[in-house]
Amino acid sequence: MPAIVETRGLTKVYGDGTEALKPLDLDIEEGEILALLGPNGAGKTTLISMLCGLVSPSSGQARVGGHDIITRYRDARALIGLVPQEIALEPFQKVWDAVRFTRGLFGQGRDDAHLEDVLRKLSLWDKRRSKVNELSGGMKRRVLIAKALSHNPRVLFLDEPTAGVDVDLRRDMWNMVADLRRDGVTIILTTHYIEEAEAIADRVGVINHGELLLLEDKQALMTRLGRKTLRIELRRPVEAVPGGLSGYDLELAEDGRSLSYHYDTQGEGTGITALLQDLSREGLALRDIHTRQSSLEEIFVDLVKGEDA
Amino acid sequence: MNWQAVGAIYRYEMARFFRTIAQSFLSPVLSTSLYFVVFGTAIGSRINEVEGVSYGAFIVPGLIMLSVMTQATTNASFGIYFPKFIGTVYELLSAPVNFFEIVLGYVGAAATKSLLIGMVILATATLFVDLTVLHPAAMVAFLLLTCLSFALFGFIIGIWARNFEQLQLIPLLVVTPLVFLGGAFYSISMLPPGWQTVTYFNPVVYLISGFRWAFFGTSDVPVALSLLAIAGFLLLCLAVVWAIFRTGYRIKP
Ligand SMILES: Nc1ncnc2c1ncn2[C@@H]1O[C@H](COP(=O)(O)OP(=O)(O)O)[C@@H](O)[C@H]1O
Ligand SMILES: [Mg+2]
């Protein structure tokens, strides 16, 4: 199946010389949820803005649904819904009118039932007659999402959708993303909340300094780069790691009550069996053991730090 | 053609107008009435007929033009400047619309509004003076063309403006003086010959002259020249708008 979004050598250099996106080849599969992670200024918004028509590419090509975004922009854009990073809404417009306006802009006829459905899902139905400037920040963001969904897009771009929003909205948003995914909508979201990528994405891309450093299936990524830690809690505290265990990469907690053992899940053997045998040979009695996998956050910080170094 | 989009923009712009309908009509009606009281009655009583028309009636076409030109310019410039200012222009840029559809929506709405205001002023004028329009079809055609071309002109200003000062600068510093000096309240033939020559470089002269001819059958310049001038201005504005969208000037980095 061809990718629903493809870029080939896509770049952006702004008028002031800022190289916001280095040549990018990216394929996004239909129906997937792709999270683009990256610090501020990484180029995430620039990439989305080019795909949506807000910024002109400096070079390269991009296609959405097989349509070139420049030569066949009408077909390409008709498939796209965009929730921008900054809240931008006409203050005196009523919620209902705002959503209808967007649907019209995207060339679609009136469909009150669909708009009602969208507003209900976003808990906006009761507010449909309110003016936008009477709404809270979280509600305004919901209106932006409702506008983006008003014309049944096949590809939805969410640019930092949960930056600074409350827990309710974040939960609703994640539910909504799950619903849309069930309907086969492709979702590209940017975020710098790792937990968000971890919770909802199928694939994760990491961008820094306008460069895609990594693009990988989330599970594979976490397994590949994920280091596991085995934490061993001791019945009786010890002063130091016993000499017989010096061959292991062990870390003793300050209170002497637990040991941490780091190992690579991808390694030949984890060394856990031997370690446990050696622990009892040294006469250490164990109270409990548990393992922990490093999160995307740690992976991400490592990557970005590694690049900056 | 994405007619849905044109309709959406047009309806939205008209809604903005009707939300403040009292203001939209009140101020032009009020200022027109004041002009009639001051010029038509106070001064006009001391001026004989101009080219066979009472002075009160003579200034009607100029007054309508003055309002229509400034209203079309400010309405269209504000219409497109506002989305730029509050950021909602992202929607226009990301929608499957072309430049012609966007322009049709904004400029069409601004032209409609100024046309309505022109009609209201004409109606107000009939309360003060006796008016018969000699060439009604030509009158409507001139009015329409003026509304359209000045709305286009305003659209360009709205795209160009980076702040509210710039937005108000052109209507205030260019349009209003050109209209006042364009024979809105006098016939060019009343000026000394030197000034007459200067006046012919003012494009508004041709519009007002043609419009007045539609009312009274007399004009400062040949009617064909007037038509040519307005058509030229319209085409020029269209070309500039087209270039703006090709290059993304001041809307698309
Ligand atoms: N309109 C613009 N003009 C000039 N530079 C810009 C513009 N927009 C963004 N940039 C620069 O491009 C880089 C990438 O920005 P952006 O795409 O907004 O990053 P992100 O969304 O990942 O935070 C930054 O260095 C930013 O300052
Ligand atoms: Mg951004």
Side-chain angles (χ1 to χ4, degrees):
Chain A
M1 191 172 55
I4 190 143
V5 178
E6 309 158 73
T7 74
R8 293 293 174 268
L10 191 67
T11 69
K12 180 63 191 178
V13 181
Y14 282 107
D16 60 2
T18 308
E19 191 177 11
L21 193 68
K22 296 182 181 147
L24 175 71
D25 294 332
L26 174 64
D27 285 308
I28 301 171
E29 299 302 322
E30 177 147 26
E32 76 169 321
I33 301 179
L34 173 67
L36 292 171
L37 279 170
N40 269 329
K44 307 181 294 293
T45 299
T46 299
L47 169 60
I48 290 184
S49 300
M50 279 196 283
L51 293 173
C52 294
L54 311 188
V55 167
S56 317
S58 300
S59 65
Q61 284 102 44
R63 277 189 291 274
V64 176
H67 312 293
D68 188 281
I69 59 164
I70 305 291
T71 57
R72 302 196 49 88
Y73 66 95
R74 269 191 207 269
D75 299 317
R77 290 184 198 166
L79 301 174
I80 297 178
L82 166 65
V83 180
Q85 184 174 349
E86 307 288 341
I87 292 180
L89 289 164
E90 146 73 71
F92 306 112
Q93 209 171 24
K94 296 202 169 110
V95 170
W96 180 257
D97 296 334
V99 183
R100 257 192 74 191
F101 176 75
T102 308
R103 191 177 163 84
L105 264 191
F106 279 77
Q108 302 205 0
R110 201 168 162 166
D111 182 350
D112 290 356
H114 171 65
L115 296 188
E116 176 173 346
D117 190 42
V118 167
L119 290 183
R120 282 191 189 282
K121 272 189 185 141
L122 288 159
S123 317
L124 275 174
W125 182 244
D126 295 338
K127 302 274 183 196
R128 65 189 178 283
R129 293 201 188 90
S130 304
K131 281 185 189 161
V132 167
N133 63 357
E134 294 162 356
L135 302 178
S136 67
M139 280 292 170
K140 284 184 184 144
R141 204 164 274 280
R142 286 173 199 253
V143 176
L144 282 182
I145 299 169
K147 280 164 85 78
L149 294 176
S150 66
H151 58 281
N152 293 304
R154 299 305 301 156
V155 182
L156 181 65
F157 289 96
L158 298 164
D159 200 355
E160 304 206 14
T162 53
V165 306
D166 54 35
V167 183
D168 277 353
L169 178 50
R170 189 172 301 192
R171 192 199 51 228
D172 282 5
M173 194 115 63
W174 290 5
N175 287 337
M176 181 201 77
V177 166
D179 279 355
L180 289 170
R181 182 173 191 271
R182 224 167 291 131
D183 297 338
V185 177
T186 310
I187 294 161
I188 294 104
L189 69 99
T190 73
T191 178
H192 39 229
Y193 294 116
I194 319 278
E195 60 201 58
E196 193 155 75
E198 222 167 326
I200 58 180
D202 300 313
R203 277 204 302 168
V204 176
V206 176
I207 299 191
N208 197 23
H209 298 313
E211 205 169 353
L212 187 67
L213 300 177
L214 169 150
L215 178 67
E216 212 168 298
D217 183 78
K218 181 182 67 185
Q219 284 311 325
L221 176 69
M222 291 179 59
T223 327
R224 183 167 71 81
L225 291 172
R227 300 234 304 157
K228 274 196 162 180
T229 304
L230 179 69
R231 201 171 136 99
I232 305 148
E233 291 185 18
L234 304 173
R235 229 175 251 291
R236 284 174 300 278
V238 293
E239 297 270 304
V241 177
L245 298 174
S246 57
Y248 297 96
D249 175 14
L250 283 175
E251 216 178 291
L252 182 66
E254 266 184 38
D255 61 2
R257 286 184 176 275
S258 68
L259 290 163
S260 294
Y261 171 61
H262 304 291
Y263 64 98
D264 196 337
T265 50
Q266 301 287 298
E268 280 290 295
T270 57
I272 293 176
T273 319
L275 173 65
L276 290 179
Q277 281 168 356
D278 286 344
L279 278 172
S280 63
R281 188 170 306 136
E282 288 294 325
L284 296 181
L286 312 187
R287 209 163 59 89
D288 199 3
I289 57 174
H290 37 98
T291 63
R292 195 176 69 82
Q293 184 158 30
S294 60
S295 68
L296 255 177
E297 171 116 36
E298 289 156 285
I299 297 169
F300 172 71
V301 169
D302 282 352
L303 257 175
V304 172
K305 265 200 197 134
E307 221 225 352
D308 285 341
Chain B
M1 274 299 277
N2 183 349
W3 286 109
Q4 293 285 353
V6 177
I9 297 172
Y10 185 86
R11 272 194 307 274
Y12 164 74
E13 282 295 300
M14 292 311 286
R16 197 160 58 78
F17 179 71
F18 287 116
R19 233 179 356 234
T20 54
I21 182 125
Q23 263 164 280
S24 304
F25 284 122
L26 205 64
S27 90
V29 169
L30 196 72
S31 57
T32 312
S33 307
L34 284 175
Y35 277 119
F36 277 119
V37 171
V38 174
F39 286 108
T41 320
I43 300 176
S45 61
R46 293 165 192 271
I47 299 179
N48 291 330
E49 294 188 337
V50 181
E51 290 167 2
V53 184
S54 80
Y55 186 67
F58 179 82
I59 63 171
V60 170
L63 271 180
I64 295 176
M65 277 293 187
L66 175 65
S67 286
V68 159
M69 286 174 188
T70 43
Q71 289 289 336
T73 310
T74 49
N75 259 305
S77 63
F78 188 80
I80 188 66
Y81 177 78
F82 194 57
K84 274 197 336 176
F85 179 67
I86 61 173
T88 51
V89 72
Y90 86 85
E91 259 197 311
L92 291 175
L93 296 175
S94 67
V97 293
N98 65 14
F99 97 96
F100 186 66
E101 289 148 1
I102 295 179
V103 170
L104 210 59
Y106 280 102
V107 169
T112 309
K113 292 181 222 177
S114 50
L115 188 69
L116 286 174
I117 289 172
M119 302 297 211
V120 168
I121 292 176
L122 183 59
T124 312
T126 58
L127 300 179
F128 292 87
V129 291
D130 279 333
L131 267 180
T132 39
V133 182
L134 223 53
H135 310 285
M139 191 273 281
V140 172
F142 266 112
L143 197 57
L144 264 176
L145 279 173
T146 308
C147 290
L148 260 183
S149 49
F150 276 76
L152 266 173
F153 179 61
F155 187 87
I156 295 166
I157 292 167
I159 297 263
W160 163 79
R162 286 194 201 275
N163 50 52
F164 277 101
E165 286 77 51
Q166 291 187 341
L167 194 66
Q168 286 162 344
L169 206 66
I170 303 285
L172 210 66
L173 288 187
V174 181
V175 179
T176 312
L178 283 184
V179 178
F180 266 92
L181 302 175
F185 300 111
Y186 53 86
S187 164
I188 305 299
S189 57
M190 293 158 96
L191 293 175
W195 281 106
Q196 282 191 26
T197 315
V198 174
T199 300
Y200 289 127
F201 288 99
N202 176 357
V204 176
V205 164
Y206 300 87
L207 308 187
I208 292 180
S209 164
F211 194 49
R212 189 173 286 137
W213 168 85
F215 276 81
F216 310 122
T218 57
S219 62
D220 291 326
V221 293
V223 179
L225 207 57
S226 294
L227 263 178
L228 216 63
I230 183 89
F233 185 55
L234 188 71
L235 286 178
L236 180 72
C237 290
L238 267 178
V240 173
V241 168
W242 184 78
I244 283 175
F245 277 90
R246 276 212 63 98
T247 57
Y249 175 75
R250 293 212 175 160
I251 34 175
K252 204 163 164 176

PDB file of all heavy atoms in Angstrom, chain B residues 149 152-153 156 203 228-244:
ATOM      1  N   SER B 149     -13.615  47.457  -7.799  1.00  0.00           N
ATOM      2  CA  SER B 149     -12.198  47.757  -7.938  1.00  0.00           C
ATOM      3  C   SER B 149     -11.629  48.318  -6.633  1.00  0.00           C
ATOM      4  O   SER B 149     -10.497  47.997  -6.275  1.00  0.00           O
ATOM      5  CB  SER B 149     -11.946  48.689  -9.120  1.00  0.00           C
ATOM      6  OG  SER B 149     -12.807  49.782  -9.061  1.00  0.00           O
ATOM      7  N   LEU B 152     -11.064  45.478  -4.254  1.00  0.00           N
ATOM      8  CA  LEU B 152      -9.815  44.792  -4.618  1.00  0.00           C
ATOM      9  C   LEU B 152      -8.610  45.562  -4.090  1.00  0.00           C
ATOM     10  O   LEU B 152      -7.669  44.993  -3.535  1.00  0.00           O
ATOM     11  CB  LEU B 152      -9.702  44.693  -6.135  1.00  0.00           C
ATOM     12  CG  LEU B 152     -10.219  43.421  -6.786  1.00  0.00           C
ATOM     13  CD1 LEU B 152     -10.170  43.581  -8.301  1.00  0.00           C
ATOM     14  CD2 LEU B 152      -9.398  42.218  -6.361  1.00  0.00           C
ATOM     15  N   PHE B 153      -8.676  46.875  -4.293  1.00  0.00           N
ATOM     16  CA  PHE B 153      -7.614  47.752  -3.821  1.00  0.00           C
ATOM     17  C   PHE B 153      -7.447  47.598  -2.298  1.00  0.00           C
ATOM     18  O   PHE B 153      -6.335  47.456  -1.786  1.00  0.00           O
ATOM     19  CB  PHE B 153      -7.975  49.193  -4.200  1.00  0.00           C
ATOM     20  CG  PHE B 153      -6.990  50.230  -3.757  1.00  0.00           C
ATOM     21  CD1 PHE B 153      -5.684  50.192  -4.206  1.00  0.00           C
ATOM     22  CD2 PHE B 153      -7.382  51.241  -2.893  1.00  0.00           C
ATOM     23  CE1 PHE B 153      -4.773  51.156  -3.797  1.00  0.00           C
ATOM     24  CE2 PHE B 153      -6.479  52.200  -2.485  1.00  0.00           C
ATOM     25  CZ  PHE B 153      -5.173  52.167  -2.936  1.00  0.00           C
ATOM     26  N   ILE B 156      -5.723  44.392  -1.292  1.00  0.00           N
ATOM     27  CA  ILE B 156      -4.262  44.487  -1.432  1.00  0.00           C
ATOM     28  C   ILE B 156      -3.666  45.177  -0.206  1.00  0.00           C
ATOM     29  O   ILE B 156      -2.663  44.731   0.357  1.00  0.00           O
ATOM     30  CB  ILE B 156      -3.891  45.261  -2.718  1.00  0.00           C
ATOM     31  CG1 ILE B 156      -4.358  44.464  -3.931  1.00  0.00           C
ATOM     32  CG2 ILE B 156      -2.398  45.534  -2.776  1.00  0.00           C
ATOM     33  CD1 ILE B 156      -4.349  45.254  -5.223  1.00  0.00           C
ATOM     34  N   PRO B 203      -6.829  59.800 -10.820  1.00  0.00           N
ATOM     35  CA  PRO B 203      -7.707  58.790 -11.446  1.00  0.00           C
ATOM     36  C   PRO B 203      -9.156  58.896 -10.997  1.00  0.00           C
ATOM     37  O   PRO B 203     -10.072  58.547 -11.745  1.00  0.00           O
ATOM     38  CB  PRO B 203      -7.095  57.462 -11.004  1.00  0.00           C
ATOM     39  CG  PRO B 203      -6.220  57.782  -9.833  1.00  0.00           C
ATOM     40  CD  PRO B 203      -5.769  59.194 -10.015  1.00  0.00           C
ATOM     41  N   LEU B 228     -12.809  53.464 -19.351  1.00  0.00           N
ATOM     42  CA  LEU B 228     -11.480  52.914 -19.565  1.00  0.00           C
ATOM     43  C   LEU B 228     -10.661  52.997 -18.275  1.00  0.00           C
ATOM     44  O   LEU B 228      -9.949  52.055 -17.888  1.00  0.00           O
ATOM     45  CB  LEU B 228     -10.791  53.705 -20.673  1.00  0.00           C
ATOM     46  CG  LEU B 228      -9.882  52.919 -21.605  1.00  0.00           C
ATOM     47  CD1 LEU B 228     -10.679  51.868 -22.368  1.00  0.00           C
ATOM     48  CD2 LEU B 228      -9.191  53.882 -22.575  1.00  0.00           C
ATOM     49  N   ALA B 229     -10.777  54.148 -17.600  1.00  0.00           N
ATOM     50  CA  ALA B 229     -10.008  54.365 -16.377  1.00  0.00           C
ATOM     51  C   ALA B 229     -10.404  53.349 -15.310  1.00  0.00           C
ATOM     52  O   ALA B 229      -9.539  52.722 -14.675  1.00  0.00           O
ATOM     53  CB  ALA B 229     -10.223  55.782 -15.862  1.00  0.00           C
ATOM     54  N   ILE B 230     -11.694  53.162 -15.125  1.00  0.00           N
ATOM     55  CA  ILE B 230     -12.135  52.259 -14.067  1.00  0.00           C
ATOM     56  C   ILE B 230     -11.775  50.815 -14.413  1.00  0.00           C
ATOM     57  O   ILE B 230     -11.351  50.043 -13.562  1.00  0.00           O
ATOM     58  CB  ILE B 230     -13.640  52.439 -13.766  1.00  0.00           C
ATOM     59  CG1 ILE B 230     -14.091  51.533 -12.609  1.00  0.00           C
ATOM     60  CG2 ILE B 230     -14.520  52.155 -14.936  1.00  0.00           C
ATOM     61  CD1 ILE B 230     -13.938  52.166 -11.294  1.00  0.00           C
ATOM     62  N   ALA B 231     -11.909  50.474 -15.704  1.00  0.00           N
ATOM     63  CA  ALA B 231     -11.558  49.115 -16.115  1.00  0.00           C
ATOM     64  C   ALA B 231     -10.058  48.884 -15.936  1.00  0.00           C
ATOM     65  O   ALA B 231      -9.629  47.820 -15.469  1.00  0.00           O
ATOM     66  CB  ALA B 231     -11.954  48.879 -17.571  1.00  0.00           C
ATOM     67  N   GLY B 232      -9.254  49.897 -16.265  1.00  0.00           N
ATOM     68  CA  GLY B 232      -7.805  49.792 -16.101  1.00  0.00           C
ATOM     69  C   GLY B 232      -7.423  49.595 -14.647  1.00  0.00           C
ATOM     70  O   GLY B 232      -6.597  48.743 -14.308  1.00  0.00           O
ATOM     71  N   PHE B 233      -8.060  50.368 -13.772  1.00  0.00           N
ATOM     72  CA  PHE B 233      -7.776  50.266 -12.345  1.00  0.00           C
ATOM     73  C   PHE B 233      -8.138  48.868 -11.832  1.00  0.00           C
ATOM     74  O   PHE B 233      -7.402  48.252 -11.060  1.00  0.00           O
ATOM     75  CB  PHE B 233      -8.557  51.342 -11.591  1.00  0.00           C
ATOM     76  CG  PHE B 233      -8.252  51.405 -10.131  1.00  0.00           C
ATOM     77  CD1 PHE B 233      -6.953  51.556  -9.684  1.00  0.00           C
ATOM     78  CD2 PHE B 233      -9.273  51.304  -9.190  1.00  0.00           C
ATOM     79  CE1 PHE B 233      -6.669  51.611  -8.329  1.00  0.00           C
ATOM     80  CE2 PHE B 233      -9.000  51.360  -7.837  1.00  0.00           C
ATOM     81  CZ  PHE B 233      -7.694  51.514  -7.406  1.00  0.00           C
ATOM     82  N   LEU B 234      -9.277  48.371 -12.296  1.00  0.00           N
ATOM     83  CA  LEU B 234      -9.737  47.048 -11.905  1.00  0.00           C
ATOM     84  C   LEU B 234      -8.717  45.982 -12.319  1.00  0.00           C
ATOM     85  O   LEU B 234      -8.323  45.119 -11.520  1.00  0.00           O
ATOM     86  CB  LEU B 234     -11.088  46.768 -12.570  1.00  0.00           C
ATOM     87  CG  LEU B 234     -11.834  45.502 -12.128  1.00  0.00           C
ATOM     88  CD1 LEU B 234     -12.369  45.677 -10.734  1.00  0.00           C
ATOM     89  CD2 LEU B 234     -12.987  45.214 -13.088  1.00  0.00           C
ATOM     90  N   LEU B 235      -8.260  46.064 -13.556  1.00  0.00           N
ATOM     91  CA  LEU B 235      -7.298  45.084 -14.063  1.00  0.00           C
ATOM     92  C   LEU B 235      -5.973  45.161 -13.314  1.00  0.00           C
ATOM     93  O   LEU B 235      -5.367  44.142 -12.978  1.00  0.00           O
ATOM     94  CB  LEU B 235      -7.063  45.298 -15.568  1.00  0.00           C
ATOM     95  CG  LEU B 235      -8.221  44.833 -16.448  1.00  0.00           C
ATOM     96  CD1 LEU B 235      -7.930  45.126 -17.910  1.00  0.00           C
ATOM     97  CD2 LEU B 235      -8.484  43.343 -16.249  1.00  0.00           C
ATOM     98  N   LEU B 236      -5.544  46.388 -13.033  1.00  0.00           N
ATOM     99  CA  LEU B 236      -4.294  46.583 -12.312  1.00  0.00           C
ATOM    100  C   LEU B 236      -4.376  45.902 -10.938  1.00  0.00           C
ATOM    101  O   LEU B 236      -3.476  45.166 -10.529  1.00  0.00           O
ATOM    102  CB  LEU B 236      -4.023  48.082 -12.158  1.00  0.00           C
ATOM    103  CG  LEU B 236      -2.734  48.426 -11.424  1.00  0.00           C
ATOM    104  CD1 LEU B 236      -1.538  48.115 -12.318  1.00  0.00           C
ATOM    105  CD2 LEU B 236      -2.712  49.900 -11.024  1.00  0.00           C
ATOM    106  N   CYS B 237      -5.487  46.146 -10.230  1.00  0.00           N
ATOM    107  CA  CYS B 237      -5.660  45.547  -8.909  1.00  0.00           C
ATOM    108  C   CYS B 237      -5.679  44.027  -9.005  1.00  0.00           C
ATOM    109  O   CYS B 237      -5.075  43.328  -8.189  1.00  0.00           O
ATOM    110  CB  CYS B 237      -6.942  46.047  -8.254  1.00  0.00           C
ATOM    111  SG  CYS B 237      -6.869  47.766  -7.771  1.00  0.00           S
ATOM    112  N   LEU B 238      -6.365  43.511 -10.014  1.00  0.00           N
ATOM    113  CA  LEU B 238      -6.423  42.058 -10.212  1.00  0.00           C
ATOM    114  C   LEU B 238      -5.029  41.479 -10.418  1.00  0.00           C
ATOM    115  O   LEU B 238      -4.679  40.450  -9.835  1.00  0.00           O
ATOM    116  CB  LEU B 238      -7.294  41.727 -11.425  1.00  0.00           C
ATOM    117  CG  LEU B 238      -8.763  41.443 -11.153  1.00  0.00           C
ATOM    118  CD1 LEU B 238      -9.499  41.184 -12.455  1.00  0.00           C
ATOM    119  CD2 LEU B 238      -8.923  40.243 -10.215  1.00  0.00           C
ATOM    120  N   ALA B 239      -4.237  42.165 -11.215  1.00  0.00           N
ATOM    121  CA  ALA B 239      -2.883  41.689 -11.496  1.00  0.00           C
ATOM    122  C   ALA B 239      -2.055  41.662 -10.216  1.00  0.00           C
ATOM    123  O   ALA B 239      -1.309  40.708  -9.955  1.00  0.00           O
ATOM    124  CB  ALA B 239      -2.221  42.579 -12.545  1.00  0.00           C
ATOM    125  N   VAL B 240      -2.184  42.717  -9.415  1.00  0.00           N
ATOM    126  CA  VAL B 240      -1.418  42.771  -8.172  1.00  0.00           C
ATOM    127  C   VAL B 240      -1.845  41.640  -7.232  1.00  0.00           C
ATOM    128  O   VAL B 240      -1.009  40.944  -6.640  1.00  0.00           O
ATOM    129  CB  VAL B 240      -1.588  44.140  -7.476  1.00  0.00           C
ATOM    130  CG1 VAL B 240      -0.930  44.141  -6.112  1.00  0.00           C
ATOM    131  CG2 VAL B 240      -1.006  45.248  -8.340  1.00  0.00           C
ATOM    132  N   VAL B 241      -3.154  41.426  -7.117  1.00  0.00           N
ATOM    133  CA  VAL B 241      -3.651  40.353  -6.260  1.00  0.00           C
ATOM    134  C   VAL B 241      -3.137  38.997  -6.731  1.00  0.00           C
ATOM    135  O   VAL B 241      -2.713  38.154  -5.937  1.00  0.00           O
ATOM    136  CB  VAL B 241      -5.197  40.351  -6.229  1.00  0.00           C
ATOM    137  CG1 VAL B 241      -5.728  39.079  -5.599  1.00  0.00           C
ATOM    138  CG2 VAL B 241      -5.708  41.553  -5.465  1.00  0.00           C
ATOM    139  N   TRP B 242      -3.131  38.829  -8.031  1.00  0.00           N
ATOM    140  CA  TRP B 242      -2.647  37.570  -8.598  1.00  0.00           C
ATOM    141  C   TRP B 242      -1.174  37.357  -8.235  1.00  0.00           C
ATOM    142  O   TRP B 242      -0.772  36.282  -7.807  1.00  0.00           O
ATOM    143  CB  TRP B 242      -2.829  37.587 -10.113  1.00  0.00           C
ATOM    144  CG  TRP B 242      -2.447  36.321 -10.783  1.00  0.00           C
ATOM    145  CD1 TRP B 242      -3.172  35.166 -10.829  1.00  0.00           C
ATOM    146  CD2 TRP B 242      -1.241  36.059 -11.498  1.00  0.00           C
ATOM    147  NE1 TRP B 242      -2.489  34.204 -11.524  1.00  0.00           N
ATOM    148  CE2 TRP B 242      -1.300  34.724 -11.950  1.00  0.00           C
ATOM    149  CE3 TRP B 242      -0.108  36.825 -11.810  1.00  0.00           C
ATOM    150  CZ2 TRP B 242      -0.276  34.141 -12.688  1.00  0.00           C
ATOM    151  CZ3 TRP B 242       0.895  36.235 -12.544  1.00  0.00           C
ATOM    152  CH2 TRP B 242       0.812  34.908 -12.978  1.00  0.00           C
ATOM    153  N   ALA B 243      -0.381  38.420  -8.355  1.00  0.00           N
ATOM    154  CA  ALA B 243       1.044  38.329  -8.023  1.00  0.00           C
ATOM    155  C   ALA B 243       1.235  38.016  -6.537  1.00  0.00           C
ATOM    156  O   ALA B 243       2.112  37.241  -6.168  1.00  0.00           O
ATOM    157  CB  ALA B 243       1.751  39.632  -8.386  1.00  0.00           C
ATOM    158  N   ILE B 244       0.387  38.620  -5.706  1.00  0.00           N
ATOM    159  CA  ILE B 244       0.475  38.385  -4.264  1.00  0.00           C
ATOM    160  C   ILE B 244       0.308  36.900  -3.962  1.00  0.00           C
ATOM    161  O   ILE B 244       1.077  36.305  -3.201  1.00  0.00           O
ATOM    162  CB  ILE B 244      -0.612  39.198  -3.521  1.00  0.00           C
ATOM    163  CG1 ILE B 244      -0.194  40.658  -3.434  1.00  0.00           C
ATOM    164  CG2 ILE B 244      -0.872  38.625  -2.128  1.00  0.00           C
ATOM    165  CD1 ILE B 244      -1.248  41.564  -2.841  1.00  0.00           C
TER     166      ILE B 244
END
